[in-house]
Amino acid sequence: MRIFGVVGWKNAGKTGLMERLVTDITGRGFTVSTVKHAHHSFDVDHPGKDSHRHRIAGATEVLLASRHRFALMHEMRGADELPLSELLEKLSPVDLVLVEGYKRDAHPKVEAHRAETGNPLIAPDDPTIRAVASDSTVDVSVPVFDLDDTAAIADFILAQVGL
């Protein structure tokens, strides 16, 4: 499975870049799935709904399905967080998986960077970062793209993964 990541500090533009990349790359006829790492507890379910009641009752997994989509919710119940490699195994085959976060994993990545955040670049100390997408001029040894030049970033990613 071909994977490529988007990393960066908080408010660097990762999610917007991910959204634009998915739109661009699927618009070229490729299939894309995404994985998003959250550093906090989250919930996609709603209190009072049947699926939520099943989880609260103790179900390890609840699969909610309709003719439009399905969602599988898996409660960790104290188990360790799954590594990215195991999560990727749960996805159906696609041309490309874009991963937001997981900056410490070994897959290739582009770093999103906004100067206004004042955060340092990750790229100089991380050989897995193959390019930087920034809203300012940065001095790094990898290709640099304008953060808003989605087509050029998509071209780069597709070339990197062989699509």
Side-chain angles (χ1 to χ4, degrees), residues 139-154:
D139 184 23
V140 290
S141 62
V142 295
V144 177
F145 298 94
D146 183 290
L147 184 57
D148 293 323
D149 192 352
T150 307
I153 300 166

Side-chain angles (χ1 to χ4, degrees), residues 32-61:
V32 177
S33 289
T34 65
V35 175
K36 161 73 171 119
H37 187 257
H39 293 283
H40 48 80
S41 180
F42 66 91
D43 202 340
V44 296
D45 210 358
H46 303 286
K49 296 294 185 182
D50 294 350
S51 55
H52 186 266
R53 292 171 61 189
H54 297 180
R55 284 182 27 227
I56 298 305
T60 298
E61 290 188 329

Side-chain angles (χ1 to χ4, degrees), residues 80-101:
D80 291 338
E81 181 176 355
L82 294 176
L84 178 59
S85 59
E86 286 186 41
L87 294 171
L88 292 171
E89 290 173 5
K90 297 181 180 302
L91 295 175
S92 298
V94 292
D95 296 317
L96 176 65
V97 177
L98 291 173
V99 177
E100 182 177 343

Side-chain angles (χ1 to χ4, degrees), residues 30 36 44 47 55 67 70-72 88 122 124 132 140 146 153 157-158 163:
F30 295 106
K36 161 73 171 119
V44 296
R55 284 182 27 227
R67 68 183 197 94
F70 74 87
L72 176 62
L88 292 171
I122 301 167
V132 173
V140 290
D146 183 290
I153 300 166
I157 290 171
L158 293 172
L163 290 175

